[in-house]
Amino acid sequence: MTEPTDVEFRPLTIPASMDASDADEFREFTRVRNEVYREIAGTDDDALTPEELLPHYQPSPEEIRYVWVAVVDGEIVGRVSVDLPLEEGSRAAFWLIELLRAHQGRGIGTAGYRLIEEKAREHGRTVLQSWTQHPDAPGSRLEPPTGFGSIPEDRAARFYLRNGYTLEQIERESALDLEASAPDVARLLAAAEAKATGYRVVQWQLPTPAEHVAAYAWMKSRMSTDTPAGALEFDEEVWDAERVARHDRKTLDGGRTMLVTAAQHVATGELVAFNELVIGHDPAAASHQEDTLVLREHRGHKLGQLVKCAGLTVWRRGIAPRSPKVITYNAEENRPMLDINEAIGFVPVAYNGAWKKVLE
Ligand SMILES: CC(C)(COP(=O)(O)OP(=O)(O)OC[C@H]1O[C@@H](n2cnc3c(N)ncnc32)[C@H](O)[C@@H]1OP(=O)(O)O)[C@@H](O)C(=O)NCCC(=O)NCCS
C-alpha cells in the first residue's frame, strides 16, 4: 500500500477568539467537522458554530490536547486529535480521526493514526480509546463483550481492527420529539414525584450558583466512576470549584445555555441526582441531554425519571420552546437508564462503537 504523498498534517491554530486575525483556520476546521458529521449521520444535530466549539480547544489544566488539520491541495479535509487527561497517574489517551468522505480510503487515516500512537507513547499513555458512529448497513456485524448491541463491520470498524483495537461497548444515540412527548413527560413526572418522597427538585442554569458548587462538583466526579463502562478505562476525575467554573465557562463562553436539574434529599440537604440539558445559540436546533446520574446510595426512588422529566418540562416550556428534539447517548447495556428514556419517548437513531487498544 503506498502512502499518500499529497497530505500534510498541520497543528491547528487556536485563536484567542473568533474575532482574532488568525481565526480563519478554526472557522474552516469547524465547517469540515460539521460536514463530516453530516456525511455520517445525515443530520446537523451535532453541528456547532466556531464560537461554540472554540472554548473546548482553549488550553486546560485538565488535559493536553494535540490537534492537527489534514490538508490536501491547500484545503482542510479532516482532523486528527488526541487528548491526554491530566488526572494523577492517567494511562489514557482519547483520540479521533475524521475525514471528509471524498478523502477516505487512500491511506490518510493510516498516516494520521501514526501521530496518535507517537504522542501517546511520548507521554507514556498505554490505554488508547476512541468512539465513532457506525451507521447501520447490511453485511457482517461485530458484537462487544458486554453482549449488548452490534455494529456493521464498516470502514471505520475495519480501520480500528487493523490498528489492533477491540470493540468494547455499544453506545446508543436516541432522539426525543419534545412536543409529542409532552403528555408522557407530564405523566412520568407525576409518577416519579409520587415515588420520590423525601426528595425535591432543584434547578439552575449555568453559571452554577455558589450554594450548589460543591454538590455539583461531587456529582460530576461520580459521573467518571459510576456509569457502565464495560472494559473501558476512565480516570476518576477530581472536581473542585475551579473545575466547575471552567466547565461553566466552556458552555457560557460559547454562548450556550445549560439547565441542571437536581434532586435534593430533603433530610440532609444533599444533592443526589442530576440531569443536564444544553442548547447552542440557534433556538431552533436540537438540544442535547448530557450527564444524568443518580448517586449509588439513592438509586431505586425514581430519581432518574424525576430529574429527566422535571428538566424536560422546564426546557420545553420556558428555555428552549423552539427546539424540536433532544439527543442523548447511553451505554446499550444501561437498562435502567434506557427504560426511563424509552418510556419518555426517546427512540434509537444511531449506534456508536467504543474501541480500545492497550499498547505494549
Ligand atoms: C475511519 C477513517 C478515520 C479511516 O481513515 P481512511 O483514510 O479512510 O483510512 P485508510 O485509507 O488509511 O484505510 C481505509 C481503506 O483504504 C485502503 N487504503 C489505504 N491506503 C490505501 C492506498 N494508498 N490505496 C488504496 N487503498 C488504500 C485500506 O486498505 C482500507 O480499506 P478498507 O476500507 O476496505 O478497510 C476515515 O474513514 C474516517 O474519517 N471515517 C469517518 C470518521 C470515523 O469513523 N472515524 C473513526 C475514528 S474516530
Side-chain angles (χ1 to χ4, degrees), residues 176-185 316 324 344-345:
L176 176 75
D177 181 325
L178 263 170
E179 198 55 46
S181 62
D184 285 330
V185 170
R316 186 181 63 82
I344 291 174

Side-chain angles (χ1 to χ4, degrees), residues 3-9 70-75 77 103 106 108:
E3 285 266 319
T5 51
D6 58 344
V7 63
E8 180 198 350
F9 296 99
V71 180
V72 173
D73 294 336
E75 303 285 331
V77 302
H103 296 270
R106 56 187 198 88
I108 297 178

Side-chain angles (χ1 to χ4, degrees), residues 1-4 36-37 39-40 77 79 95-101 103-112 130-135 154-160 162-163 355:
M1 206 189 280
T2 50
E3 285 266 319
V36 168
Y37 290 159
E39 285 182 347
I40 296 172
V77 302
R79 60 175 179 158
W95 63 269
L96 59 78
I97 303 177
E98 292 169 354
L99 305 173
L100 290 171
R101 192 175 289 149
H103 296 270
Q104 296 176 10
R106 56 187 198 88
I108 297 178
T110 300
S130 174
W131 282 255
T132 201
Q133 188 171 320
H134 299 271
D154 57 11
R155 167 172 285 160
R158 291 193 298 271
F159 184 81
Y160 283 115
R162 200 165 44 240
N163 284 298
W355 296 84

